[in-house]
């Protein structure tokens, strides 16, 4: 089904953009901007996982921060007991996947808005557990002295951190784009388009829902492991359900299931305000207003604006007719 | 007429929706390689029966058997795997896919390899005569074409029973003829059909047998040549 062409069409632009961002950070970032670049990379990974899940299931997942926290805490704890940091990404992915599988199985029969509520509850539970399992997580005080990849961020190692996280972003992009063009991806799309029709061709919706949540959670777990090995310090507040809402909103703003949109949205709504050192108050305020305006006028997010801009430019500059949109350019929410 | 073995059996199927008795003790059989038309006025319970048969609805009472197996509690996708295929009263293609992809994804869901799935999908699309629109987005082709593609999607798994819910509604005369011809060809190749259709002329033209539902009850089950004379049927239709 033209899989490789579609794979390249969705992967290459987004990956190129990431490479440019990483390169710019490598060339121009001071210590503060290096930190922003790293954290933005983490956000991109979280948003990509969310966007994949929401885009494919057509349902909201409200516990990315929980999976992120599980990946972060488990890899931190294992490292504090002697596991070498380079194993952390694998551990993060595994923990995320396992917790996603558990959540997915627990919610197999739950669909629609109910899934959003259940996953919201799960996010709250994870946060509470991190706060209250004092013996393991050290409660609200958190874990200190967690090993890191290259030691505390400084002028000498900031390039290494940037390469690791943005390299991970590109790998995640590649994996998700491959997955989307795989058999599995096609089945997810069928289910999203019409559940009744998908069942009529023999697809068991519950199975694919579990698998999708597992993928999103594995991606978030990876982000957690990467964060741990950068920060060296974990507190439960970092993984609040408020973060899940923010991740979801960023994914929606980018345009669900658009990889490029997810990257741009994370940069615009997360990276730029931090670069400009906008205070959290104004950052949330602007974010909220933008969210409301966008949902009114461009509910399919930045990717919708992008598609519109491209077709407008074509018409104006090249005189091409608007023409019939085809499968490759039309994205549905 | 029924050629021996029974493909599908419905035994005393009843369904209530919050006080509305949509079906009451409906029993019938569909033979292998038989075309059975299911007709009746609006709200008679036709779609409700099809949903019970295909597993879209499992909250009915009674029994559904498929090729000798009790499938009453078997979920829809598993019934599809057992060889039941269906189309919907409201054409339900995957709108974000091309017509060809709609069929190909069903072939993949049947567990075929990429190449085999592509080959079978091409074959099915050609069979229903939708080759010309294969690459167009499903959401953008005319309703009649959507219904044809839906049939192609349903047959790509090579089912043994096809359940169609008003496949002719919204079709032009030429398309009606084409769908009827496709049904007859597939039937000649051994596929059984249970189809709901308001176009009585078409139903009587190609079905081997007709079942009439009215207000959730079966009021007629017999040859196409007798249905016109049955008093209950005349009463139901003419009021
Ligand atoms: N999900 C539902 N909830 C409540 N009532 C329902 C539901 N589905 C069907 N009904 C009722 O059951 C009865 C039979 O409906 P059904 O859709 O099976 O009729 P039909 O014979 O297919 O009619 P039509 O020719 O209009 O498609 C109707 O009274 C309908 O209102
Ligand atoms: Mg109906």
């Amino acid at each position: 089904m033209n899989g490789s062409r579609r794979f390249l069409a969705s992967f290459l632009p987004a990956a190129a953009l990431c490479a440019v961002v990483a390169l710019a950070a490598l060339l121009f970032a001071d210590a503060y901007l290096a930190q922003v670049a790293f954290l933005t990379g983490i956000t991109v990974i979280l948003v990509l996982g969310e966007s994949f899940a929401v885009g494919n299931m057509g349902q909201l997942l409200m516990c990315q921060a929980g999976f992120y926290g599980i990946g972060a805490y488990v890899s931190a704890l294992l490292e504090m007991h002697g596991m070498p940091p380079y194993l952390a990404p694998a551990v993060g992915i595994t923990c995320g996947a396992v917790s996603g599988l558990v959540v997915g199985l627990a919610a197999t029969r739950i669909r629609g808005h109910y899934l959003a509520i259940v996953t919201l509850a799960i996010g709250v539970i994870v946060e509470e557990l991190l706060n209250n399992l004092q013996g393991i997580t050290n409660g609200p005080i958190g874990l200190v002295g967690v090993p890191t990849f290259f030691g505390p961020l400084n002028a000498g190692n900031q390039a290494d951190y940037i390469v690791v996280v943005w390299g991970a972003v590109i790998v995640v992009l590649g994996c998700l784009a491959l997955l989307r063009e795989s058999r599995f991806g096609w089945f997810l799309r069928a289910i999203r388009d019409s559940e009744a029709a998908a069942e009529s061709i023999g697809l068991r919706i519950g199975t694919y829902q579990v698998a999708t949540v597992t993928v999103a959670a594995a991606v978030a777990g990876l982000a957690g492991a990467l964060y741990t090995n950068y920060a060296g310090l974990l507190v439960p507040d970092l993984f609040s359900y408020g973060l899940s809402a923010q991740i979801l909103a960023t994914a929606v703003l980018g345009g669900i299931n658009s990889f490029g949109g997810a990257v741009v949205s994370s940069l615009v709504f997360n990276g730029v305000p931090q670069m400009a050192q906008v205070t959290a108050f104004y950052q949330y305020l602007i974010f909220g207003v933008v969210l409301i305006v966008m949902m009114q006028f461009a509910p399919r997010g930045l990717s919708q604006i992008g598609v519109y801009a491209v077709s407008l430019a074509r018409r104006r500059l090249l005189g091409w007719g608007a023409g019939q949109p085809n499968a490759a350019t039309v994205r549905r929410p | 007429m029924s050629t021996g073995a029974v493909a599908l059996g419905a035994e005393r199927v009843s369904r209530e929706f919050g006080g509305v008795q949509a079906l009451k003790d409906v029993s019938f059989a569909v033979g292998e390689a038989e075309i059975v038309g299911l007709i009746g006025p609006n709200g008679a319970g036709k779609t409700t029966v099809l949903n019970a048969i295909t597993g879209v609805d499992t909250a009915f009472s009674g029994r559904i058997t498929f090729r000798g197996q009790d499938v009453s509690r078997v979920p829809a996708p598993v019934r599809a795997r057992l060889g039941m295929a269906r189309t919907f009263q409201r054409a339900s293609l995957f709108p974000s896919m091309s017509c060809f992809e709609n069929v190909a994804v069903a072939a993949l869901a049947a567990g075929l390899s990429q190449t085999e799935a592509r080959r079978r999908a091409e074959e099915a699309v050609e069979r229903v005569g939708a080759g010309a629109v294969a690459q167009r987005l499903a959401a953008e082709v005319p309703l009649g074409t959507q219904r044809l593609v839906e049939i192609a999607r349903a047959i790509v798994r090579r089912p043994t029973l096809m359940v169609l819910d008003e496949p002719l509604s919204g079709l032009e005369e030429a398309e009606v003829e084409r769908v009827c011809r496709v049904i007859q060809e597939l039937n000649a190749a051994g596929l059984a059909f249970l189809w709901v259709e308001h176009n009585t002329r078409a139903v009587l033209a190609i079905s081997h047998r007709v079942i009439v539902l009215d207000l959730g009850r079966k009021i007629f089950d017999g040859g196409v040549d007798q249905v016109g004379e049955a008093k209950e049927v005349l009463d139901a239709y003419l009021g």
Side-chain angles (χ1 to χ4, degrees), chain B residues 15-18 20-23 39-51 89 165-166 196 198 213 216:
Chain B
R15 179 64 160 106
E16 217 180 294
F17 293 107
V20 178
Q21 190 78 46
L23 291 175
I39 61 176
N42 287 107
K46 305 179 295 294
T47 299
T48 307
V49 172
L50 299 195
N51 287 344
Q89 184 166 353
D165 199 349
E166 301 196 19
V196 166
H198 278 295
L213 285 185

PDB file of all heavy atoms in Angstrom, chain B residues 15-18 20-23 39-51 89 165-166 196 198 213 216, ligand 1:
ATOM      1  N   ARG B  15     -35.419 -10.020  20.994  1.00  0.00           N
ATOM      2  CA  ARG B  15     -34.602  -8.887  21.450  1.00  0.00           C
ATOM      3  C   ARG B  15     -35.528  -7.771  21.872  1.00  0.00           C
ATOM      4  O   ARG B  15     -36.491  -7.430  21.168  1.00  0.00           O
ATOM      5  CB  ARG B  15     -33.694  -8.400  20.316  1.00  0.00           C
ATOM      6  CG  ARG B  15     -32.815  -7.209  20.672  1.00  0.00           C
ATOM      7  CD  ARG B  15     -31.807  -7.574  21.768  1.00  0.00           C
ATOM      8  NE  ARG B  15     -30.673  -6.672  21.823  1.00  0.00           N
ATOM      9  CZ  ARG B  15     -30.495  -5.737  22.772  1.00  0.00           C
ATOM     10  NH1 ARG B  15     -31.399  -5.580  23.708  1.00  0.00           N
ATOM     11  NH2 ARG B  15     -29.410  -4.986  22.765  1.00  0.00           N
ATOM     12  N   GLU B  16     -35.240  -7.220  23.044  1.00  0.00           N
ATOM     13  CA  GLU B  16     -36.045  -6.129  23.561  1.00  0.00           C
ATOM     14  C   GLU B  16     -35.152  -4.920  23.763  1.00  0.00           C
ATOM     15  O   GLU B  16     -34.011  -5.045  24.195  1.00  0.00           O
ATOM     16  CB  GLU B  16     -36.616  -6.568  24.915  1.00  0.00           C
ATOM     17  CG  GLU B  16     -38.030  -6.097  25.177  1.00  0.00           C
ATOM     18  CD  GLU B  16     -38.496  -6.586  26.543  1.00  0.00           C
ATOM     19  OE1 GLU B  16     -38.640  -7.824  26.709  1.00  0.00           O
ATOM     20  OE2 GLU B  16     -38.682  -5.738  27.424  1.00  0.00           O
ATOM     21  N   PHE B  17     -35.632  -3.744  23.384  1.00  0.00           N
ATOM     22  CA  PHE B  17     -34.896  -2.512  23.682  1.00  0.00           C
ATOM     23  C   PHE B  17     -35.752  -1.685  24.618  1.00  0.00           C
ATOM     24  O   PHE B  17     -36.684  -1.026  24.175  1.00  0.00           O
ATOM     25  CB  PHE B  17     -34.639  -1.693  22.413  1.00  0.00           C
ATOM     26  CG  PHE B  17     -33.702  -2.337  21.430  1.00  0.00           C
ATOM     27  CD1 PHE B  17     -34.178  -2.875  20.245  1.00  0.00           C
ATOM     28  CD2 PHE B  17     -32.335  -2.392  21.692  1.00  0.00           C
ATOM     29  CE1 PHE B  17     -33.311  -3.442  19.332  1.00  0.00           C
ATOM     30  CE2 PHE B  17     -31.464  -2.966  20.773  1.00  0.00           C
ATOM     31  CZ  PHE B  17     -31.953  -3.495  19.593  1.00  0.00           C
ATOM     32  N   GLY B  18     -35.435  -1.752  25.903  1.00  0.00           N
ATOM     33  CA  GLY B  18     -36.173  -0.947  26.877  1.00  0.00           C
ATOM     34  C   GLY B  18     -37.670  -0.940  26.655  1.00  0.00           C
ATOM     35  O   GLY B  18     -38.266   0.117  26.473  1.00  0.00           O
ATOM     36  N   VAL B  20     -39.384  -2.034  24.109  1.00  0.00           N
ATOM     37  CA  VAL B  20     -39.779  -2.273  22.713  1.00  0.00           C
ATOM     38  C   VAL B  20     -39.349  -3.685  22.312  1.00  0.00           C
ATOM     39  O   VAL B  20     -38.175  -4.020  22.359  1.00  0.00           O
ATOM     40  CB  VAL B  20     -39.106  -1.253  21.758  1.00  0.00           C
ATOM     41  CG1 VAL B  20     -39.479  -1.545  20.312  1.00  0.00           C
ATOM     42  CG2 VAL B  20     -39.483   0.161  22.149  1.00  0.00           C
ATOM     43  N   GLN B  21     -40.315  -4.487  21.949  1.00  0.00           N
ATOM     44  CA  GLN B  21     -39.998  -5.855  21.536  1.00  0.00           C
ATOM     45  C   GLN B  21     -39.615  -5.819  20.048  1.00  0.00           C
ATOM     46  O   GLN B  21     -40.471  -5.884  19.172  1.00  0.00           O
ATOM     47  CB  GLN B  21     -41.220  -6.756  21.761  1.00  0.00           C
ATOM     48  CG  GLN B  21     -40.936  -8.236  21.603  1.00  0.00           C
ATOM     49  CD  GLN B  21     -40.243  -8.841  22.818  1.00  0.00           C
ATOM     50  OE1 GLN B  21     -40.644  -8.597  23.941  1.00  0.00           O
ATOM     51  NE2 GLN B  21     -39.203  -9.633  22.584  1.00  0.00           N
ATOM     52  N   ALA B  22     -38.292  -5.702  19.802  1.00  0.00           N
ATOM     53  CA  ALA B  22     -37.838  -5.557  18.410  1.00  0.00           C
ATOM     54  C   ALA B  22     -37.901  -6.890  17.675  1.00  0.00           C
ATOM     55  O   ALA B  22     -38.101  -6.915  16.455  1.00  0.00           O
ATOM     56  CB  ALA B  22     -36.421  -5.003  18.380  1.00  0.00           C
ATOM     57  N   LEU B  23     -37.712  -7.995  18.403  1.00  0.00           N
ATOM     58  CA  LEU B  23     -37.818  -9.332  17.807  1.00  0.00           C
ATOM     59  C   LEU B  23     -38.509 -10.247  18.791  1.00  0.00           C
ATOM     60  O   LEU B  23     -38.271 -10.160  19.996  1.00  0.00           O
ATOM     61  CB  LEU B  23     -36.424  -9.916  17.520  1.00  0.00           C
ATOM     62  CG  LEU B  23     -35.578  -9.281  16.428  1.00  0.00           C
ATOM     63  CD1 LEU B  23     -34.213  -9.946  16.420  1.00  0.00           C
ATOM     64  CD2 LEU B  23     -36.263  -9.422  15.074  1.00  0.00           C
ATOM     65  N   ILE B  39     -37.309  -9.418   4.174  1.00  0.00           N
ATOM     66  CA  ILE B  39     -37.996  -8.147   3.930  1.00  0.00           C
ATOM     67  C   ILE B  39     -39.000  -7.855   5.036  1.00  0.00           C
ATOM     68  O   ILE B  39     -39.259  -8.708   5.893  1.00  0.00           O
ATOM     69  CB  ILE B  39     -38.700  -8.121   2.546  1.00  0.00           C
ATOM     70  CG1 ILE B  39     -39.752  -9.233   2.470  1.00  0.00           C
ATOM     71  CG2 ILE B  39     -37.687  -8.275   1.435  1.00  0.00           C
ATOM     72  CD1 ILE B  39     -40.564  -9.207   1.168  1.00  0.00           C
ATOM     73  N   GLY B  40     -39.525  -6.667   5.002  1.00  0.00           N
ATOM     74  CA  GLY B  40     -40.497  -6.253   6.007  1.00  0.00           C
ATOM     75  C   GLY B  40     -40.521  -4.747   6.081  1.00  0.00           C
ATOM     76  O   GLY B  40     -39.574  -4.087   5.652  1.00  0.00           O
ATOM     77  N   PRO B  41     -41.589  -4.193   6.637  1.00  0.00           N
ATOM     78  CA  PRO B  41     -41.709  -2.734   6.702  1.00  0.00           C
ATOM     79  C   PRO B  41     -40.630  -2.111   7.589  1.00  0.00           C
ATOM     80  O   PRO B  41     -39.932  -2.824   8.312  1.00  0.00           O
ATOM     81  CB  PRO B  41     -43.094  -2.521   7.319  1.00  0.00           C
ATOM     82  CG  PRO B  41     -43.768  -3.850   7.360  1.00  0.00           C
ATOM     83  CD  PRO B  41     -42.738  -4.895   7.210  1.00  0.00           C
ATOM     84  N   ASN B  42     -40.508  -0.809   7.571  1.00  0.00           N
ATOM     85  CA  ASN B  42     -39.553  -0.104   8.429  1.00  0.00           C
ATOM     86  C   ASN B  42     -39.784  -0.455   9.888  1.00  0.00           C
ATOM     87  O   ASN B  42     -40.926  -0.512  10.331  1.00  0.00           O
ATOM     88  CB  ASN B  42     -39.691   1.419   8.270  1.00  0.00           C
ATOM     89  CG  ASN B  42     -39.136   1.884   6.946  1.00  0.00           C
ATOM     90  OD1 ASN B  42     -39.880   2.236   6.051  1.00  0.00           O
ATOM     91  ND2 ASN B  42     -37.836   1.840   6.804  1.00  0.00           N
ATOM     92  N   GLY B  43     -38.708  -0.687  10.602  1.00  0.00           N
ATOM     93  CA  GLY B  43     -38.825  -0.989  12.021  1.00  0.00           C
ATOM     94  C   GLY B  43     -39.279  -2.402  12.314  1.00  0.00           C
ATOM     95  O   GLY B  43     -39.595  -2.738  13.453  1.00  0.00           O
ATOM     96  N   ALA B  44     -39.298  -3.270  11.291  1.00  0.00           N
ATOM     97  CA  ALA B  44     -39.774  -4.633  11.485  1.00  0.00           C
ATOM     98  C   ALA B  44     -38.813  -5.470  12.334  1.00  0.00           C
ATOM     99  O   ALA B  44     -39.195  -6.475  12.928  1.00  0.00           O
ATOM    100  CB  ALA B  44     -39.983  -5.301  10.132  1.00  0.00           C
ATOM    101  N   GLY B  45     -37.555  -5.060  12.374  1.00  0.00           N
ATOM    102  CA  GLY B  45     -36.558  -5.810  13.145  1.00  0.00           C
ATOM    103  C   GLY B  45     -35.505  -6.474  12.273  1.00  0.00           C
ATOM    104  O   GLY B  45     -34.736  -7.307  12.741  1.00  0.00           O
ATOM    105  N   LYS B  46     -35.441  -6.084  11.027  1.00  0.00           N
ATOM    106  CA  LYS B  46     -34.515  -6.738  10.094  1.00  0.00           C
ATOM    107  C   LYS B  46     -33.049  -6.512  10.491  1.00  0.00           C
ATOM    108  O   LYS B  46     -32.272  -7.458  10.597  1.00  0.00           O
ATOM    109  CB  LYS B  46     -34.752  -6.221   8.666  1.00  0.00           C
ATOM    110  CG  LYS B  46     -36.197  -6.377   8.195  1.00  0.00           C
ATOM    111  CD  LYS B  46     -36.400  -5.847   6.793  1.00  0.00           C
ATOM    112  CE  LYS B  46     -36.200  -4.355   6.631  1.00  0.00           C
ATOM    113  NZ  LYS B  46     -37.182  -3.508   7.345  1.00  0.00           N
ATOM    114  N   THR B  47     -32.702  -5.246  10.718  1.00  0.00           N
ATOM    115  CA  THR B  47     -31.316  -4.956  11.103  1.00  0.00           C
ATOM    116  C   THR B  47     -30.984  -5.603  12.445  1.00  0.00           C
ATOM    117  O   THR B  47     -29.876  -6.100  12.662  1.00  0.00           O
ATOM    118  CB  THR B  47     -31.081  -3.428  11.165  1.00  0.00           C
ATOM    119  OG1 THR B  47     -31.312  -2.885   9.872  1.00  0.00           O
ATOM    120  CG2 THR B  47     -29.661  -3.097  11.593  1.00  0.00           C
ATOM    121  N   THR B  48     -31.991  -5.624  13.335  1.00  0.00           N
ATOM    122  CA  THR B  48     -31.771  -6.240  14.634  1.00  0.00           C
ATOM    123  C   THR B  48     -31.416  -7.722  14.488  1.00  0.00           C
ATOM    124  O   THR B  48     -30.525  -8.232  15.179  1.00  0.00           O
ATOM    125  CB  THR B  48     -33.033  -6.057  15.511  1.00  0.00           C
ATOM    126  OG1 THR B  48     -33.371  -4.667  15.521  1.00  0.00           O
ATOM    127  CG2 THR B  48     -32.793  -6.528  16.925  1.00  0.00           C
ATOM    128  N   VAL B  49     -32.088  -8.417  13.574  1.00  0.00           N
ATOM    129  CA  VAL B  49     -31.753  -9.827  13.326  1.00  0.00           C
ATOM    130  C   VAL B  49     -30.330  -9.944  12.790  1.00  0.00           C
ATOM    131  O   VAL B  49     -29.542 -10.775  13.256  1.00  0.00           O
ATOM    132  CB  VAL B  49     -32.718 -10.470  12.302  1.00  0.00           C
ATOM    133  CG1 VAL B  49     -32.239 -11.856  11.917  1.00  0.00           C
ATOM    134  CG2 VAL B  49     -34.108 -10.552  12.858  1.00  0.00           C
ATOM    135  N   LEU B  50     -30.000  -9.103  11.832  1.00  0.00           N
ATOM    136  CA  LEU B  50     -28.657  -9.186  11.252  1.00  0.00           C
ATOM    137  C   LEU B  50     -27.585  -8.937  12.312  1.00  0.00           C
ATOM    138  O   LEU B  50     -26.535  -9.578  12.311  1.00  0.00           O
ATOM    139  CB  LEU B  50     -28.492  -8.183  10.100  1.00  0.00           C
ATOM    140  CG  LEU B  50     -29.407  -8.337   8.891  1.00  0.00           C
ATOM    141  CD1 LEU B  50     -28.867  -7.532   7.716  1.00  0.00           C
ATOM    142  CD2 LEU B  50     -29.569  -9.796   8.476  1.00  0.00           C
ATOM    143  N   ASN B  51     -27.868  -8.005  13.212  1.00  0.00           N
ATOM    144  CA  ASN B  51     -26.898  -7.716  14.269  1.00  0.00           C
ATOM    145  C   ASN B  51     -26.721  -8.895  15.216  1.00  0.00           C
ATOM    146  O   ASN B  51     -25.620  -9.163  15.699  1.00  0.00           O
ATOM    147  CB  ASN B  51     -27.300  -6.460  15.045  1.00  0.00           C
ATOM    148  CG  ASN B  51     -27.063  -5.197  14.237  1.00  0.00           C
ATOM    149  OD1 ASN B  51     -26.346  -5.228  13.232  1.00  0.00           O
ATOM    150  ND2 ASN B  51     -27.651  -4.093  14.658  1.00  0.00           N
ATOM    151  N   GLN B  89     -26.226  -1.117   6.794  1.00  0.00           N
ATOM    152  CA  GLN B  89     -27.309  -0.326   6.214  1.00  0.00           C
ATOM    153  C   GLN B  89     -26.810   1.068   5.843  1.00  0.00           C
ATOM    154  O   GLN B  89     -27.123   1.575   4.773  1.00  0.00           O
ATOM    155  CB  GLN B  89     -28.470  -0.233   7.221  1.00  0.00           C
ATOM    156  CG  GLN B  89     -29.682   0.495   6.655  1.00  0.00           C
ATOM    157  CD  GLN B  89     -30.924   0.294   7.514  1.00  0.00           C
ATOM    158  OE1 GLN B  89     -30.935  -0.495   8.462  1.00  0.00           O
ATOM    159  NE2 GLN B  89     -31.981   0.996   7.194  1.00  0.00           N
ATOM    160  N   ASP B 165     -27.096  -5.666   4.474  1.00  0.00           N
ATOM    161  CA  ASP B 165     -28.201  -4.848   4.969  1.00  0.00           C
ATOM    162  C   ASP B 165     -28.473  -3.729   3.969  1.00  0.00           C
ATOM    163  O   ASP B 165     -27.733  -2.749   3.898  1.00  0.00           O
ATOM    164  CB  ASP B 165     -27.864  -4.278   6.350  1.00  0.00           C
ATOM    165  CG  ASP B 165     -29.115  -3.827   7.109  1.00  0.00           C
ATOM    166  OD1 ASP B 165     -30.190  -3.773   6.481  1.00  0.00           O
ATOM    167  OD2 ASP B 165     -29.008  -3.548   8.316  1.00  0.00           O
ATOM    168  N   GLU B 166     -29.503  -3.891   3.187  1.00  0.00           N
ATOM    169  CA  GLU B 166     -29.930  -2.929   2.168  1.00  0.00           C
ATOM    170  C   GLU B 166     -28.805  -2.503   1.223  1.00  0.00           C
ATOM    171  O   GLU B 166     -28.486  -1.317   1.112  1.00  0.00           O
ATOM    172  CB  GLU B 166     -30.570  -1.711   2.843  1.00  0.00           C
ATOM    173  CG  GLU B 166     -31.773  -2.134   3.674  1.00  0.00           C
ATOM    174  CD  GLU B 166     -32.685  -0.961   4.046  1.00  0.00           C
ATOM    175  OE1 GLU B 166     -32.601   0.079   3.389  1.00  0.00           O
ATOM    176  OE2 GLU B 166     -33.472  -1.117   4.980  1.00  0.00           O
ATOM    177  N   VAL B 196     -31.145  -8.183   3.435  1.00  0.00           N
ATOM    178  CA  VAL B 196     -32.274  -7.333   3.737  1.00  0.00           C
ATOM    179  C   VAL B 196     -32.339  -6.294   2.633  1.00  0.00           C
ATOM    180  O   VAL B 196     -31.311  -5.721   2.268  1.00  0.00           O
ATOM    181  CB  VAL B 196     -32.058  -6.619   5.086  1.00  0.00           C
ATOM    182  CG1 VAL B 196     -33.044  -5.477   5.249  1.00  0.00           C
ATOM    183  CG2 VAL B 196     -32.187  -7.610   6.233  1.00  0.00           C
ATOM    184  N   HIS B 198     -35.165  -3.324   0.619  1.00  0.00           N
ATOM    185  CA  HIS B 198     -36.492  -2.758   0.402  1.00  0.00           C
ATOM    186  C   HIS B 198     -36.921  -2.829  -1.066  1.00  0.00           C
ATOM    187  O   HIS B 198     -38.097  -2.685  -1.376  1.00  0.00           O
ATOM    188  CB  HIS B 198     -36.541  -1.302   0.872  1.00  0.00           C
ATOM    189  CG  HIS B 198     -36.748  -1.172   2.350  1.00  0.00           C
ATOM    190  ND1 HIS B 198     -37.896  -1.587   2.978  1.00  0.00           N
ATOM    191  CD2 HIS B 198     -35.945  -0.714   3.332  1.00  0.00           C
ATOM    192  CE1 HIS B 198     -37.809  -1.369   4.275  1.00  0.00           C
ATOM    193  NE2 HIS B 198     -36.614  -0.844   4.526  1.00  0.00           N
ATOM    194  N   LEU B 213     -40.593 -10.239   7.895  1.00  0.00           N
ATOM    195  CA  LEU B 213     -40.739  -9.861   9.297  1.00  0.00           C
ATOM    196  C   LEU B 213     -41.723  -8.710   9.385  1.00  0.00           C
ATOM    197  O   LEU B 213     -41.759  -7.843   8.516  1.00  0.00           O
ATOM    198  CB  LEU B 213     -39.410  -9.366   9.876  1.00  0.00           C
ATOM    199  CG  LEU B 213     -38.300 -10.344  10.212  1.00  0.00           C
ATOM    200  CD1 LEU B 213     -37.160  -9.584  10.886  1.00  0.00           C
ATOM    201  CD2 LEU B 213     -38.783 -11.462  11.116  1.00  0.00           C
ATOM    202  N   GLY B 216     -41.378  -7.383  14.503  1.00  0.00           N
ATOM    203  CA  GLY B 216     -40.539  -8.293  15.278  1.00  0.00           C
ATOM    204  C   GLY B 216     -40.906  -9.762  15.159  1.00  0.00           C
ATOM    205  O   GLY B 216     -40.285 -10.610  15.804  1.00  0.00           O
TER     206      GLY B 216
HETATM  207  N1  LIG C   1     -30.224   0.263  19.599  1.00  0.00           N
HETATM  208  C1  LIG C   1     -31.560   0.392  19.696  1.00  0.00           C
HETATM  209  N2  LIG C   1     -32.114   0.968  20.777  1.00  0.00           N
HETATM  210  C2  LIG C   1     -33.451   1.087  20.883  1.00  0.00           C
HETATM  211  N3  LIG C   1     -34.326   0.633  19.983  1.00  0.00           N
HETATM  212  C3  LIG C   1     -33.841   0.043  18.881  1.00  0.00           C
HETATM  213  C4  LIG C   1     -32.423  -0.114  18.677  1.00  0.00           C
HETATM  214  N4  LIG C   1     -32.234  -0.738  17.493  1.00  0.00           N
HETATM  215  C5  LIG C   1     -33.466  -0.951  16.994  1.00  0.00           C
HETATM  216  N5  LIG C   1     -34.425  -0.501  17.812  1.00  0.00           N
HETATM  217  C6  LIG C   1     -35.870  -0.600  17.585  1.00  0.00           C
HETATM  218  O1  LIG C   1     -36.149  -1.916  17.207  1.00  0.00           O
HETATM  219  C7  LIG C   1     -37.107  -1.953  16.156  1.00  0.00           C
HETATM  220  C8  LIG C   1     -36.523  -2.670  14.956  1.00  0.00           C
HETATM  221  O2  LIG C   1     -35.475  -1.895  14.402  1.00  0.00           O
HETATM  222  P1  LIG C   1     -34.595  -2.367  13.178  1.00  0.00           P
HETATM  223  O3  LIG C   1     -33.539  -1.365  12.975  1.00  0.00           O
HETATM  224  O4  LIG C   1     -34.176  -3.764  13.346  1.00  0.00           O
HETATM  225  O5  LIG C   1     -35.654  -2.263  11.995  1.00  0.00           O
HETATM  226  P2  LIG C   1     -35.449  -2.542  10.447  1.00  0.00           P
HETATM  227  O6  LIG C   1     -36.397  -3.624  10.089  1.00  0.00           O
HETATM  228  O7  LIG C   1     -34.025  -2.746  10.133  1.00  0.00           O
HETATM  229  O8  LIG C   1     -35.975  -1.188   9.835  1.00  0.00           O
HETATM  230  P3  LIG C   1     -35.469  -0.323   8.574  1.00  0.00           P
HETATM  231  O9  LIG C   1     -36.114  -0.919   7.374  1.00  0.00           O
HETATM  232  O10 LIG C   1     -35.986   1.032   8.841  1.00  0.00           O
HETATM  233  O11 LIG C   1     -33.981  -0.404   8.549  1.00  0.00           O
HETATM  234  C9  LIG C   1     -37.482  -0.516  15.880  1.00  0.00           C
HETATM  235  O12 LIG C   1     -38.640  -0.229  16.607  1.00  0.00           O
HETATM  236  C10 LIG C   1     -36.321   0.268  16.427  1.00  0.00           C
HETATM  237  O13 LIG C   1     -36.735   1.524  16.870  1.00  0.00           O
END
